[in-house]
Amino acid sequence: MRILSGIQPSGRPHIGNYFGMMEPSIRLQEEGDAFYFIADYHSLTSTHDPQVLRDNVRGLAIDFLACGLDPEKATFWTQSAVPEVTELTWILSCVTPMGLLERCVSYKDKIAQGISPSHGLFAYPVLQAADILIFDSNVVPIGKDQKQHLEVTRDIANKFNDRYGADLLVVPEPQIREQTATVPGLDGQKMSKSYGNTIDIFEETEKKLRKKIMKIVTDTTAVEDPKNPEGSYLVDLYKLFASEDDVRAMEESFCAGGEGYGHYKQQLFEAIRDYYAPMRERREELEKDTDYVDGVLEEGAKRARAQAREVMDRVRSAVGM
Ligand code: ADP
Ligand code: TRP
Protein backbone atom coordinates (compact mmCIF):
# COMPACT_ATOMS: atom_id res chain seq x y z
CA MET A 1 0.00 0.00 0.00
CA ARG A 2 1.44 3.37 -1.04
CA ILE A 3 0.60 6.18 1.36
CA LEU A 4 1.35 9.69 0.14
CA SER A 5 0.87 13.21 1.44
CA GLY A 6 2.31 16.67 0.95
CA ILE A 7 2.44 19.90 2.88
CA GLN A 8 3.24 23.41 1.69
CA PRO A 9 6.25 25.19 3.19
CA SER A 10 4.29 28.29 4.03
CA GLY A 11 5.70 29.20 7.45
CA ARG A 12 5.85 27.52 10.83
CA PRO A 13 3.43 24.56 11.04
CA HIS A 14 0.64 24.81 13.61
CA ILE A 15 -1.23 22.17 15.55
CA GLY A 16 -3.96 22.05 12.87
CA ASN A 17 -1.30 21.00 10.34
CA TYR A 18 0.10 18.60 12.91
CA PHE A 19 -3.13 16.72 13.65
CA GLY A 20 -4.59 17.10 10.15
CA MET A 21 -1.59 15.92 8.18
CA MET A 22 1.71 15.38 10.04
CA GLU A 23 0.68 13.12 12.92
CA PRO A 24 -1.52 10.79 10.78
CA SER A 25 1.29 10.58 8.20
CA ILE A 26 3.80 9.71 10.88
CA ARG A 27 1.51 7.01 12.26
CA LEU A 28 0.88 5.56 8.80
CA GLN A 29 4.59 5.17 8.04
CA GLU A 30 4.30 1.97 10.13
CA GLU A 31 1.61 0.55 7.87
CA GLY A 32 2.78 0.85 4.31
CA ASP A 33 5.18 2.35 1.84
CA ALA A 34 5.05 5.98 2.95
CA PHE A 35 5.89 8.88 0.61
CA TYR A 36 5.85 12.42 2.04
CA PHE A 37 6.99 15.63 0.43
CA ILE A 38 7.29 19.37 0.92
CA ALA A 39 5.18 21.08 -1.74
CA ASP A 40 7.43 23.96 -2.78
CA TYR A 41 6.03 24.25 -6.32
CA HIS A 42 2.62 24.80 -4.75
CA SER A 43 4.05 27.48 -2.46
CA LEU A 44 5.12 29.57 -5.45
CA THR A 45 1.44 30.56 -5.66
CA SER A 46 1.86 32.55 -2.45
CA THR A 47 5.56 32.81 -1.44
CA HIS A 48 7.48 35.10 -3.78
CA ASP A 49 10.71 35.64 -1.86
CA PRO A 50 13.32 32.98 -2.78
CA GLN A 51 15.14 33.16 0.54
CA VAL A 52 11.89 32.83 2.47
CA LEU A 53 10.96 29.80 0.36
CA ARG A 54 14.36 28.16 0.97
CA ASP A 55 14.18 28.82 4.72
CA ASN A 56 10.62 27.52 4.94
CA VAL A 57 11.51 24.28 3.15
CA ARG A 58 14.45 23.61 5.46
CA GLY A 59 12.44 24.61 8.55
CA LEU A 60 9.53 22.35 7.66
CA ALA A 61 11.87 19.43 6.95
CA ILE A 62 13.38 19.88 10.42
CA ASP A 63 9.96 20.17 12.05
CA PHE A 64 8.60 17.06 10.32
CA LEU A 65 11.65 14.97 11.24
CA ALA A 66 11.52 16.30 14.82
CA CYS A 67 7.87 15.25 15.08
CA GLY A 68 8.75 11.67 14.18
CA LEU A 69 8.95 11.25 10.41
CA ASP A 70 11.41 8.38 10.14
CA PRO A 71 13.52 8.42 6.95
CA GLU A 72 14.23 4.71 7.45
CA LYS A 73 10.53 4.04 7.01
CA ALA A 74 9.29 6.89 4.84
CA THR A 75 10.60 8.46 1.65
CA PHE A 76 10.80 12.24 2.26
CA TRP A 77 11.73 14.83 -0.37
CA THR A 78 11.11 18.29 -1.75
CA GLN A 79 8.54 18.33 -4.56
CA SER A 80 10.72 20.31 -6.97
CA ALA A 81 13.46 17.65 -6.80
CA VAL A 82 11.10 15.48 -8.88
CA PRO A 83 10.34 17.84 -11.79
CA GLU A 84 8.50 15.03 -13.62
CA VAL A 85 5.37 16.09 -11.68
CA THR A 86 5.18 19.26 -13.74
CA GLU A 87 5.25 17.21 -16.94
CA LEU A 88 2.43 15.04 -15.65
CA THR A 89 0.56 18.21 -14.63
CA TRP A 90 0.49 19.33 -18.25
CA ILE A 91 -0.70 15.98 -19.53
CA LEU A 92 -3.41 15.84 -16.87
CA SER A 93 -4.41 19.45 -17.64
CA CYS A 94 -5.45 18.25 -21.06
CA VAL A 95 -7.98 15.81 -19.61
CA THR A 96 -9.21 18.21 -16.89
CA PRO A 97 -12.48 19.99 -17.69
CA MET A 98 -12.47 23.71 -16.81
CA GLY A 99 -15.70 23.23 -14.86
CA LEU A 100 -13.98 20.88 -12.45
CA LEU A 101 -11.47 23.56 -11.44
CA GLU A 102 -14.07 26.33 -11.47
CA ARG A 103 -15.95 24.48 -8.74
CA CYS A 104 -12.94 24.38 -6.39
CA VAL A 105 -13.60 26.45 -3.29
CA SER A 106 -9.94 26.77 -2.31
CA TYR A 107 -9.24 29.03 -5.31
CA LYS A 108 -12.02 31.39 -4.30
CA ASP A 109 -11.01 31.22 -0.62
CA LYS A 110 -7.41 32.06 -1.39
CA ILE A 111 -8.35 35.03 -3.56
CA ALA A 112 -10.62 36.24 -0.79
CA GLN A 113 -7.59 36.04 1.54
CA GLY A 114 -5.64 38.32 -0.79
CA ILE A 115 -3.49 35.82 -2.73
CA SER A 116 -3.17 37.06 -6.33
CA PRO A 117 -5.31 35.12 -8.81
CA SER A 118 -2.62 33.55 -11.03
CA HIS A 119 -2.99 30.68 -13.45
CA GLY A 120 -0.87 28.64 -11.01
CA LEU A 121 -3.37 29.22 -8.23
CA PHE A 122 -6.25 28.16 -10.50
CA ALA A 123 -4.39 25.06 -11.73
CA TYR A 124 -3.16 24.18 -8.22
CA PRO A 125 -5.42 21.10 -7.93
CA VAL A 126 -4.02 19.63 -11.17
CA LEU A 127 -0.47 19.82 -9.80
CA GLN A 128 -1.77 18.21 -6.61
CA ALA A 129 -3.38 15.43 -8.69
CA ALA A 130 -0.05 14.88 -10.46
CA ASP A 131 1.74 14.68 -7.08
CA ILE A 132 -0.56 11.87 -6.05
CA LEU A 133 -0.98 10.00 -9.33
CA ILE A 134 2.70 9.98 -10.29
CA PHE A 135 3.44 7.70 -7.34
CA ASP A 136 0.55 5.22 -7.81
CA SER A 137 -0.71 6.34 -4.37
CA ASN A 138 -3.47 4.35 -2.69
CA VAL A 139 -4.10 6.38 0.48
CA VAL A 140 -3.71 10.12 1.09
CA PRO A 141 -3.90 11.32 4.74
CA ILE A 142 -5.12 14.95 4.82
CA GLY A 143 -7.24 17.42 6.78
CA LYS A 144 -10.87 17.94 5.79
CA ASP A 145 -10.13 21.12 3.82
CA GLN A 146 -8.26 19.02 1.24
CA LYS A 147 -11.19 16.68 0.60
CA GLN A 148 -12.31 18.47 -2.56
CA HIS A 149 -8.79 18.31 -4.01
CA LEU A 150 -8.83 14.55 -3.53
CA GLU A 151 -12.17 14.34 -5.32
CA VAL A 152 -10.70 16.35 -8.20
CA THR A 153 -7.70 13.99 -8.26
CA ARG A 154 -10.00 10.97 -8.47
CA ASP A 155 -12.03 12.62 -11.26
CA ILE A 156 -8.88 13.42 -13.23
CA ALA A 157 -7.53 9.87 -12.82
CA ASN A 158 -10.83 8.43 -14.03
CA LYS A 159 -10.96 10.81 -17.01
CA PHE A 160 -7.42 9.84 -17.96
CA ASN A 161 -8.17 6.13 -17.63
CA ASP A 162 -11.38 6.52 -19.67
CA ARG A 163 -9.49 8.19 -22.47
CA TYR A 164 -6.27 6.20 -22.54
CA GLY A 165 -6.89 2.85 -20.92
CA ALA A 166 -8.38 1.35 -17.78
CA ASP A 167 -6.07 1.01 -14.75
CA LEU A 168 -3.30 3.23 -16.16
CA LEU A 169 -3.52 5.48 -13.12
CA VAL A 170 -4.32 4.30 -9.60
CA VAL A 171 -7.42 6.05 -8.18
CA PRO A 172 -6.51 7.10 -4.60
CA GLU A 173 -8.60 7.22 -1.41
CA PRO A 174 -8.45 10.14 1.02
CA GLN A 175 -7.99 9.40 4.70
CA ILE A 176 -9.56 12.00 6.95
CA ARG A 177 -9.77 11.31 10.67
CA GLU A 178 -13.06 12.44 12.17
CA GLN A 179 -11.65 13.51 15.57
CA THR A 180 -9.09 15.82 14.01
CA ALA A 181 -10.82 16.69 10.73
CA THR A 182 -10.84 20.37 11.71
CA VAL A 183 -8.73 21.54 14.63
CA PRO A 184 -10.23 24.76 16.06
CA GLY A 185 -8.11 27.90 16.40
CA LEU A 186 -7.98 30.41 19.26
CA ASP A 187 -11.28 31.95 18.12
CA GLY A 188 -13.07 28.66 17.43
CA GLN A 189 -12.86 28.96 13.62
CA LYS A 190 -10.72 26.43 11.75
CA MET A 191 -7.12 26.92 12.85
CA SER A 192 -5.37 28.50 9.88
CA LYS A 193 -2.42 30.78 9.19
CA SER A 194 -4.71 32.99 7.17
CA TYR A 195 -7.03 33.60 10.14
CA GLY A 196 -4.19 34.51 12.53
CA ASN A 197 -5.62 32.12 15.12
CA THR A 198 -2.89 29.48 15.25
CA ILE A 199 -0.86 27.80 17.95
CA ASP A 200 2.44 26.71 16.37
CA ILE A 201 3.86 23.28 17.14
CA PHE A 202 7.07 24.95 18.18
CA GLU A 203 6.21 28.35 19.64
CA GLU A 204 9.44 30.25 20.27
CA THR A 205 9.13 30.28 24.06
CA GLU A 206 6.89 28.75 26.73
CA LYS A 207 5.81 32.24 27.63
CA LYS A 208 4.54 32.86 24.09
CA LEU A 209 2.72 29.52 24.06
CA ARG A 210 1.03 30.32 27.36
CA LYS A 211 0.09 33.81 26.22
CA LYS A 212 -1.60 32.42 23.10
CA ILE A 213 -3.55 29.85 25.05
CA MET A 214 -4.79 32.50 27.44
CA LYS A 215 -6.28 34.22 24.35
CA ILE A 216 -8.66 31.32 23.58
CA VAL A 217 -12.15 32.77 23.35
CA THR A 218 -14.51 31.58 26.08
CA ASP A 219 -17.96 32.68 27.24
CA THR A 220 -18.75 34.85 30.27
CA THR A 221 -19.98 32.16 32.68
CA ALA A 222 -19.00 33.14 36.24
CA VAL A 223 -16.23 31.22 38.02
CA GLU A 224 -18.58 29.48 40.45
CA ASP A 225 -21.16 28.45 37.81
CA PRO A 226 -21.16 25.12 35.91
CA LYS A 227 -19.81 25.33 32.37
CA ASN A 228 -20.74 23.34 29.30
CA PRO A 229 -17.87 21.16 28.04
CA GLU A 230 -19.90 20.35 24.88
CA GLY A 231 -18.71 22.57 22.06
CA SER A 232 -15.96 24.21 24.14
CA TYR A 233 -12.85 24.76 21.95
CA LEU A 234 -10.76 24.56 25.06
CA VAL A 235 -11.97 21.03 25.78
CA ASP A 236 -11.74 20.11 22.08
CA LEU A 237 -8.10 21.19 22.02
CA TYR A 238 -7.38 19.48 25.34
CA LYS A 239 -8.68 16.19 23.88
CA LEU A 240 -5.87 16.24 21.33
CA PHE A 241 -3.17 16.26 24.01
CA ALA A 242 -4.50 14.75 27.22
CA SER A 243 -5.29 11.19 28.29
CA GLU A 244 -8.93 10.05 28.42
CA ASP A 245 -8.88 10.24 32.22
CA ASP A 246 -7.59 13.80 32.19
CA VAL A 247 -10.21 14.80 29.64
CA ARG A 248 -12.96 13.23 31.76
CA ALA A 249 -11.66 15.06 34.83
CA MET A 250 -11.77 18.38 32.98
CA GLU A 251 -15.29 17.72 31.71
CA GLU A 252 -16.51 16.82 35.20
CA SER A 253 -14.90 19.92 36.64
CA PHE A 254 -16.59 22.05 33.94
CA CYS A 255 -19.98 20.62 34.92
CA ALA A 256 -19.35 21.03 38.64
CA GLY A 257 -18.39 24.72 38.38
CA GLY A 258 -16.07 26.49 40.82
CA GLU A 259 -13.12 27.06 38.48
CA GLY A 260 -12.58 29.89 36.01
CA TYR A 261 -11.52 29.33 32.40
CA GLY A 262 -8.00 30.52 33.25
CA HIS A 263 -7.53 27.35 35.31
CA TYR A 264 -8.42 25.13 32.35
CA LYS A 265 -6.27 27.17 30.00
CA GLN A 266 -3.32 26.56 32.31
CA GLN A 267 -4.03 22.80 32.11
CA LEU A 268 -4.20 22.97 28.33
CA PHE A 269 -0.94 24.94 28.24
CA GLU A 270 0.84 22.30 30.31
CA ALA A 271 -0.54 19.45 28.20
CA ILE A 272 0.64 21.04 24.95
CA ARG A 273 4.03 21.97 26.38
CA ASP A 274 4.63 18.43 27.67
CA TYR A 275 3.36 16.76 24.49
CA TYR A 276 5.84 18.59 22.27
CA ALA A 277 8.76 18.68 24.74
CA PRO A 278 10.63 15.63 23.34
CA MET A 279 10.07 16.83 19.76
CA ARG A 280 11.35 20.26 20.66
CA GLU A 281 14.55 18.67 21.98
CA ARG A 282 15.00 16.67 18.82
CA ARG A 283 14.37 19.79 16.80
CA GLU A 284 17.21 21.60 18.52
CA GLU A 285 19.57 18.75 17.60
CA LEU A 286 18.44 18.70 13.98
CA GLU A 287 18.88 22.46 13.67
CA LYS A 288 22.56 21.92 14.42
CA ASP A 289 22.85 19.14 11.84
CA THR A 290 21.44 20.57 8.64
CA ASP A 291 23.76 18.34 6.56
CA TYR A 292 21.85 15.36 7.89
CA VAL A 293 18.51 17.00 7.02
CA ASP A 294 19.66 17.89 3.50
CA GLY A 295 20.97 14.34 3.08
CA VAL A 296 17.60 12.84 4.02
CA LEU A 297 15.84 14.99 1.41
CA GLU A 298 18.41 14.14 -1.26
CA GLU A 299 18.17 10.42 -0.63
CA GLY A 300 14.36 10.66 -0.62
CA ALA A 301 14.36 12.58 -3.90
CA LYS A 302 16.40 9.84 -5.57
CA ARG A 303 13.95 7.16 -4.53
CA ALA A 304 10.90 9.25 -5.37
CA ARG A 305 12.27 10.22 -8.75
CA ALA A 306 12.91 6.62 -9.77
CA GLN A 307 9.31 5.76 -8.93
CA ALA A 308 7.94 8.83 -10.73
CA ARG A 309 9.89 7.98 -13.88
CA GLU A 310 8.26 4.55 -14.06
CA VAL A 311 4.79 6.05 -14.01
CA MET A 312 5.82 8.77 -16.48
CA ASP A 313 7.07 6.15 -18.94
CA ARG A 314 3.69 4.45 -18.72
CA VAL A 315 1.83 7.74 -19.17
CA ARG A 316 3.97 9.06 -22.04
CA SER A 317 3.58 5.87 -23.95
CA ALA A 318 -0.20 5.76 -23.28
CA VAL A 319 -0.75 9.28 -24.67
CA GLY A 320 1.39 8.68 -27.77
CA MET A 321 4.83 10.02 -26.95
P1 ADP B 1 -3.38 26.75 6.62
O1 ADP B 1 -4.88 26.73 6.59
O2 ADP B 1 -2.85 27.15 7.95
O3 ADP B 1 -2.78 27.57 5.49
P2 ADP B 1 -2.65 24.49 5.00
O4 ADP B 1 -3.79 24.79 4.09
O5 ADP B 1 -1.26 24.79 4.54
O6 ADP B 1 -2.91 25.25 6.40
O7 ADP B 1 -2.75 22.96 5.45
C1 ADP B 1 -1.71 22.00 5.44
C2 ADP B 1 -2.27 20.66 5.88
O8 ADP B 1 -2.76 20.73 7.23
C3 ADP B 1 -3.46 20.14 5.06
O9 ADP B 1 -3.43 18.73 4.96
C4 ADP B 1 -4.65 20.57 5.87
O10 ADP B 1 -5.77 19.76 5.64
C5 ADP B 1 -4.14 20.41 7.29
N1 ADP B 1 -4.80 21.40 8.16
C6 ADP B 1 -4.61 22.74 8.14
N2 ADP B 1 -5.37 23.35 9.08
C7 ADP B 1 -6.04 22.36 9.72
C8 ADP B 1 -6.97 22.33 10.81
N3 ADP B 1 -7.34 23.45 11.44
N4 ADP B 1 -7.46 21.13 11.20
C9 ADP B 1 -7.07 19.99 10.58
N5 ADP B 1 -6.19 19.95 9.56
C10 ADP B 1 -5.68 21.11 9.12
N1 TRP C 1 -2.64 21.24 -1.12
C1 TRP C 1 -2.08 20.66 0.08
C2 TRP C 1 -2.22 21.68 1.22
O1 TRP C 1 -2.40 22.84 1.01
C3 TRP C 1 -0.63 20.28 -0.07
C4 TRP C 1 -0.43 19.22 -1.11
C5 TRP C 1 0.17 19.40 -2.32
C6 TRP C 1 -0.82 17.86 -1.01
N2 TRP C 1 0.19 18.23 -3.00
C7 TRP C 1 -0.40 17.25 -2.24
C8 TRP C 1 -1.46 17.09 -0.05
C9 TRP C 1 -0.63 15.90 -2.48
C10 TRP C 1 -1.68 15.73 -0.31
C11 TRP C 1 -1.28 15.15 -1.52
O2 TRP C 1 -2.10 21.30 2.34
Side-chain angles (χ1 to χ4, degrees):
M1 178 176 72
R2 165 80 31 86
I3 303 147
L4 174 134
S5 196
I7 182 164
Q8 287 192 69
S10 45
R12 305 306 304 273
H14 52 72
I15 64 180
N17 302 138
Y18 179 78
F19 285 103
M21 185 274 178
M22 297 166 76
E23 193 266 349
S25 300
I26 289 164
R27 236 164 347 90
L28 279 169
Q29 71 191 358
E30 311 296 331
E31 286 174 36
D33 186 15
F35 269 52
Y36 304 133
F37 66 94
I38 299 178
D40 60 343
Y41 281 138
H42 277 110
S43 277
L44 286 183
T45 56
S46 55
T47 303
H48 302 147
D49 180 324
Q51 197 51 45
V52 171
L53 185 63
R54 248 176 244 124
D55 291 346
N56 283 350
V57 168
R58 162 83 65 69
L60 184 55
I62 292 175
D63 289 343
F64 217 148
L65 290 166
C67 288
L69 187 147
D70 179 353
E72 301 285 317
K73 293 179 183 147
T75 301
F76 184 40
W77 75 98
T78 308
Q79 185 185 30
S80 60
V82 184
E84 284 80 1
V85 290
T86 62
E87 186 187 0
L88 183 58
T89 301
W90 176 253
I91 295 176
L92 296 179
S93 289
C94 298
V95 301
T96 305
M98 283 297 283
L100 194 60
L101 299 181
E102 277 160 0
R103 284 195 293 277
C104 286
V105 293
S106 76
Y107 177 71
K108 292 165 211 154
D109 283 355
K110 285 179 178 173
I111 288 176
Q113 289 160 20
I115 297 182
S116 52
S118 62
H119 172 250
L121 193 65
F122 185 70
Y124 183 113
V126 189
L127 176 58
Q128 183 160 353
D131 288 331
I132 297 169
L133 300 174
I134 205 166
F135 296 107
D136 284 339
S137 311
N138 305 106
V139 177
V140 184
I142 35 162
K144 196 168 157 195
D145 55 1
Q146 293 296 312
K147 190 166 178 244
Q148 192 180 34
H149 287 163
L150 250 289
E151 283 158 10
V152 169
T153 301
R154 290 169 56 86
D155 276 355
I156 292 176
N158 284 321
K159 286 250 177 327
F160 185 90
N161 289 346
D162 283 347
R163 187 177 293 175
Y164 294 109
D167 302 330
L168 275 167
L169 294 175
V170 174
V171 183
E173 296 289 338
Q175 191 178 88
I176 301 168
R177 294 227 319 288
E178 260 329 301
Q179 322 81 295
T180 53
T182 307
V183 175
L186 300 175
D187 55 359
Q189 287 191 85
K190 177 198 131 153
M191 184 177 289
S192 172
K193 275 174 287 260
S194 36
Y195 301 148
N197 62 358
T198 58
I199 303 170
D200 292 350
I201 303 178
F202 300 113
E203 288 287 344
E204 261 168 76
T205 59
E206 274 189 23
K207 205 167 151 205
K208 282 200 176 156
L209 173 63
R210 190 166 179 282
K211 209 167 151 197
K212 273 204 175 171
I213 291 172
M214 292 299 154
K215 278 201 252 169
I216 292 175
V217 178
T218 46
D219 60 30
T220 53
T221 315
V223 172
E224 59 280 10
D225 290 341
K227 299 167 184 66
N228 188 1
E230 252 352 90
S232 155
Y233 327 128
L234 227 165
V235 176
D236 287 346
L237 285 168
Y238 193 62
K239 282 181 187 161
L240 299 171
F241 299 97
S243 68
E244 270 179 39
D245 286 350
D246 288 346
V247 172
R248 204 169 319 116
M250 185 181 278
E251 286 171 340
E252 282 166 13
S253 167
F254 258 66
C255 297
E259 296 283 4
Y261 284 116
H263 172 78
Y264 303 117
K265 289 180 181 176
Q266 177 66 24
Q267 287 185 331
L268 175 64
F269 157 68
E270 287 168 16
I272 297 181
R273 180 197 59 196
D274 295 350
Y275 182 97
Y276 288 120
M279 304 178 204
R280 182 182 285 275
E281 239 174 71
R282 173 121 179 84
R283 185 173 197 286
E284 277 163 22
E285 284 164 27
L286 288 164
E287 268 184 323
K288 287 185 230 138
D289 196 358
T290 48
D291 283 352
Y292 166 78
V293 176
D294 294 347
V296 165
L297 293 174
E298 253 171 60
E299 190 47 42
K302 266 191 228 155
R303 272 192 274 167
R305 201 160 186 199
Q307 176 66 47
R309 283 191 171 141
E310 272 180 36
V311 177
M312 271 326 289
D313 285 347
R314 195 196 305 154
V315 166
R316 287 175 64 98
S317 135
V319 301
M321 285 166 180

